[in-house]
Amino acid sequence: MEESNSTQWDEPRKNLFSIHKLDYARGKRPEVDCILCGICRKDPDVPNLMISETDLTVVSVNLYPYNPGHLMVFPKRHILSYEEMTKEEALEIHEAASKAITILKKLWNVQGFNLGYNIGKNAGGSIPHIHQHIVPRFPNEAGFLDVLANSRIVIYEPYEMQKEWIRIWKEFS
């Protein structure tokens, strides 16, 4: 029997299709001036995964998450750049991110996070409204090369995650 020297690169790529994101990736979005402003206004044409809001900010589950528990925090005021945020908006975003991290650590034993803003298309920003991502990172999750070489799947439905977050968010108030 001949020994095989094949690697994952020699195997056919497995494709997992996120059919709900296809229209989004092609640029088909609700006919609103801004998706995040639509969430703030509770526009019925915009998917709304809001879990908490204040006078200045919103916390929402990400409709197209990188990982389970992926949240976005953003000001209600439509602004494009980080420098436009007021101190009050920045503080509320910080407080919401801190609360989300506390919840994720306690309830899901998350021990790593990516927090950040994708500002502008060159940085991967696809929504022209400033927002912070809170992405929990888990042991043994697929890395960048694994994703490109083989397959990746997110294991929860965003609307179910929203229900869970709303319940938990209130408990931690």
Side-chain angles (χ1 to χ4, degrees), residues 98-142:
S98 182
K99 182 175 180 176
I101 289 169
T102 298
I103 291 169
L104 287 161
K105 282 180 175 180
K106 282 186 177 182
L107 299 183
W108 286 301
N109 197 31
V110 177
Q111 297 175 18
F113 298 88
N114 291 123
L115 275 74
Y117 296 85
N118 299 330
I119 302 170
K121 288 187 181 193
N122 291 346
S126 62
I127 300 173
H129 182 133
I130 195 80
H131 57 284
Q132 181 183 47
H133 291 270
I134 303 164
V135 182
R137 303 310 301 248
F138 299 95
N140 303 318
E141 69 180 66

Side-chain angles (χ1 to χ4, degrees), residues 66-86:
Y66 298 125
N67 272 336
H70 180 171
L71 300 178
M72 296 188 313
V73 186
F74 52 93
K76 286 183 172 179
R77 191 169 61 98
H78 182 79
I79 56 176
L80 303 179
S81 68
Y82 189 82
E83 308 90 308
E84 292 179 72
M85 262 194 293
T86 65

